[in-house]
Amino acid sequence: MRKNQVAVVGAAETTELGIIPNASQLQLHADAALNAIADAGLKLSDIDGFATAVETPQQVCHYLGIKPTWVDGTSVGGCSFMLHVRHAAAAIEAGLCQTVLITHAESGKSMIGKLPRSTPPDSLNGQFEAPYGVYGPPSMFPIPVLRFMKTWGITHEQLASVAVVQREWAAKNPRAMMKDPITVADVLNSRMIAYPFRLLQCCLVTDGGGALILTSADRARDFPRKPVYIMGTGESVETPMVSQMETFNSSRAFKTAGPLAFKEAGIAHKDVDHLMIYDAFAHLPLFGLGDLGFMPYEATGQFIADGNTRPGGKLPLNTNGGGLSYMHSGMYGMYALQESVRQMRGIAPAQVPNAKISVCHGVGGMFAASGTIVFTNER
Amino acid sequence: MAEPQRARPKPTPETQHFWDGTKAGELRLQRCDACAHVYFPPRPFCPSCASRKVSIFKASGRGFLYSYVINHRPAAPGFTPPYAIAVVELDEGPRMMSNIIDCPQTPEALELDMKLEVAFQELDDKITLPVFRPAKG
């Protein structure tokens, strides 16, 4: 795909984030969509392309009254929205549609109109993982981390510092769910969830949603907001079974998606002003820093513990507070994209001065899938 | 009210040989006749070279502890926390999820790379689960 041919011209989250007891999951999709439409100065009838995950495109399109000529229902977990951005950019460039709306919403906490997640007993996961007591992401996502720590010499304190640094960012963000400062000791003394991870190393569980609107870069000039260009994109999948990853020392999906996006954007790591790495659990930023090639894996833990990713650090990371402190409805990728767009527009609550390139890296399932988007505000 | 039950696998035509094996006290893997790749979970073709000529064989049942978590909460139905959910690397190459028995469920006792051997846990008259315990000697 050619870089900077497509731009984000509308971006918004749901009116409320956190605990939303008065709206169904489907209504949260609509709330985010209507906010994004207003942000872009468009009408619903201007939308001719639509993408969403978990909920079907037909469900959300019918509820909103959208009549699309292009849809994408790619549903690979929390990074689905990174893949939607990539697919939408390709579709717009190919002339299949002009204006794409991407929605995410999840009643993750209040569970109103939330679709059930189930593992059939005759699926491979049902036969070869479920019988051993896996029960939700906290019991599965951290399974690789002890091996990763042993191979690369990462300490428990370094992994705790991920949560501490992100709380510093969250403190600057009025919409963040958790804003009180925490220390490494607080993290290591919080209640055990799945050793080695404790409560403060696991994501929040909240309600919310978000939506993006994309169109061609040529049209983007006529919109009210500063366009944010899609500079590079990548995607991949590996396995739905965490036990079957090629290795626990890295993620194959990350190592495929990330470098694809960097190559397409034609950028080097030193060009990155702002970085989002989907942090459902505290080890993900370490995998991300290594798999995306920012540094050797051995250096990732100390890099964060030394404060390089904190406010004022040389590589601002997860500047909304992340899934650990900002919000996490279950599929966090949309909120990472929203923060990248805010940073590129220059309107983030914890704005990185003069940021011109933002890398937004997502995970789906337990390292099952990955999507990476490079954004820029300069064409 | 009945005790909540641990999740029961339901075999498919492609995996039946594996569950027949555990019931008979064997851990069965598959090897490609064309490229010799050994793989898991079961399927009637080689995921490395796509050959449909594959054989089922009895694995040694030996391996080592590749990684794990000790789950505290929430616990799966039929489990009493804390309990370890482990990934075992078999001597033949493939890895599989399992539980570690005859071993305290603590970070001190569960050392990465410790040698393990397969054991079999009968869940009911249809399903016997392969689990692992510290290898003797």
Side-chain angles (χ1 to χ4, degrees):
Chain A
M1 210 159 61
R2 296 179 305 153
K3 67 182 191 182
N4 300 346
Q5 299 303 304
V6 171
V8 175
V9 294
E13 294 171 348
T14 44
T15 310
E16 313 269 335
L17 283 183
I19 300 170
I20 314 173
N22 57 352
S24 67
Q25 181 161 297
L26 186 56
Q27 177 55 30
L28 293 174
H29 276 266
D31 182 51
L34 295 175
N35 286 345
I37 295 273
D39 182 66
L42 288 171
K43 300 188 296 294
L44 276 170
S45 55
D46 296 321
I47 303 297
D48 62 352
F50 181 81
T52 196
V54 178
E55 294 283 358
T56 59
Q58 58 267 41
Q59 179 76 264
V60 182
C61 282
H62 181 254
Y63 192 67
L64 280 166
I66 292 171
K67 302 179 183 72
T69 57
W70 176 89
V71 298
D72 179 12
T74 300
S75 196
V76 294
C79 65
S80 298
F81 316 100
M82 281 80 173
L83 276 67
H84 294 156
V85 167
R86 186 172 204 239
H87 302 172
I92 290 165
E93 261 228 271
L96 302 181
C97 50
Q98 280 205 318
T99 311
V100 173
L101 170 66
I102 303 169
T103 68
H104 153 74
E106 210 160 9
S107 183
K109 177 77 172 176
S110 302
M111 311 276 276
I112 305 169
K114 183 177 158 70
L115 305 171
R117 286 190 191 182
S118 71
T119 303
D122 51 0
S123 65
L124 292 176
N125 289 70
Q127 292 181 72
F128 300 111
E129 289 197 342
Y132 298 108
V134 295
Y135 201 61
S139 68
M140 289 186 271
F141 223 149
I143 285 177
V145 73
L146 286 178
R147 174 56 58 180
F148 184 88
M149 291 170 74
K150 179 165 182 173
T151 301
W152 303 120
I154 304 296
T155 68
H156 291 282
E157 288 74 17
Q158 290 169 350
L159 273 166
S161 73
V162 174
V164 172
V165 169
Q166 291 193 197
R167 187 60 65 85
E168 289 187 48
W169 285 110
K172 297 173 174 291
N173 192 334
R175 268 164 74 90
M177 185 99 172
M178 307 298 277
K179 291 191 272 285
D180 295 339
I182 51 173
T183 65
V184 166
D186 292 336
V187 176
L188 294 178
N189 289 319
S190 62
R191 133 182 136 213
M192 188 65 85
I193 300 294
Y195 175 86
F197 279 172
R198 293 169 180 272
L199 183 68
L200 294 176
Q201 290 164 304
C202 304
C203 65
L204 306 169
V205 181
T206 55
D207 304 323
L212 294 170
I213 297 172
L214 278 67
T215 195
S216 69
D218 291 339
R219 289 183 72 215
R221 284 192 292 259
D222 302 328
F223 282 76
R225 304 288 184 203
K226 182 178 181 177
V228 177
Y229 301 100
I230 312 298
M231 196 182 194
T233 63
E235 68 184 282
S236 193
V237 296
E238 186 177 354
T239 167
M241 302 172 75
V242 66
S243 63
Q244 299 305 312
M245 289 172 68
E246 274 182 9
T247 171
F248 286 173
N249 297 329
S250 61
S251 156
R252 192 187 80 194
F254 283 20
K255 281 187 294 189
T256 306
L260 268 174
F262 274 74
K263 189 176 174 202
E264 194 170 278
I267 59 165
H269 294 88
K270 65 173 171 42
D271 301 325
V272 177
D273 301 310
H274 171 251
L275 178 61
M276 298 297 290
I277 299 176
Y278 189 134
D279 59 319
F281 293 90
H283 55 327
L284 294 178
L286 277 61
F287 275 77
L289 287 172
D291 287 336
L292 269 56
F294 280 94
M295 63 199 68
Y297 296 97
E298 296 93 319
T300 55
Q302 197 59 44
F303 185 79
I304 290 176
D306 282 347
N308 289 298
T309 60
R310 65 184 294 272
K314 64 181 173 189
L315 185 58
L317 170 66
N318 293 343
T319 51
N320 58 355
L324 296 179
S325 287
Y326 179 61
M327 84 86 70
H328 195 294
S329 56
M331 296 196 297
Y332 167 80
M334 175 57 83
Y335 309 97
L337 290 164
Q338 294 285 336
E339 175 66 7
S340 281
V341 170
R342 286 191 293 262
Q343 289 285 349
M344 292 295 92
R345 285 177 169 185
I347 59 164
Q351 181 63 41
V352 175
N354 305 314
K356 294 183 175 61
I357 292 178
S358 173
V359 172
C360 191
H361 179 73
V363 66
M366 320 301 144
F367 294 108
S370 187
T372 313
I373 305 295
V374 182
F375 292 103
T376 184
N377 49 23
E378 292 185 331
R379 199 177 174 192
Chain B
M1 209 172 86
E3 288 291 305
Q5 261 200 351
R6 167 180 189 141
R8 290 280 193 284
K10 184 176 170 191
T12 62
E14 299 80 21
T15 64
Q16 187 64 54
H17 70 265
F18 179 87
W19 296 112
D20 289 345
T22 55
K23 201 165 152 52
E26 290 185 3
L27 185 67
R28 293 178 184 167
L29 293 174
Q30 286 170 297
R31 184 187 288 115
C32 176
D33 296 342
C35 76
H37 180 58
V38 178
Y39 63 89
F40 176 86
R43 70 208 88 166
F45 61 91
C46 172
S48 185
C49 79
S51 169
R52 290 173 187 262
K53 292 198 170 69
V54 297
S55 302
I56 296 163
F57 70 99
K58 181 186 168 184
S60 67
R62 287 190 295 271
F64 69 89
L65 182 57
Y66 184 60
S67 201
Y68 67 93
V69 293
I70 304 173
N71 198 39
H72 286 246
R73 64 174 68 195
F79 283 82
T80 306
Y83 61 93
I85 305 167
V87 173
V88 178
E89 181 165 321
L90 301 171
D91 283 0
E92 291 82 1
R95 296 193 197 109
M96 57 190 299
M97 190 174 279
S98 199
N99 295 129
I100 310 298
I101 63 166
D102 300 341
C103 180
Q105 306 290 289
T106 64
E108 294 72 30
L110 292 161
E111 272 189 71
L112 290 198
D113 300 314
M114 68 192 281
K115 300 280 185 201
L116 301 167
E117 62 188 26
V118 74
F120 295 96
Q121 208 167 45
E122 191 180 302
L123 294 188
D124 56 31
D125 56 3
K126 290 199 188 78
I127 294 294
T128 295
L129 272 189
V131 294
F132 285 80
R133 63 180 163 223
K136 293 184 188 77

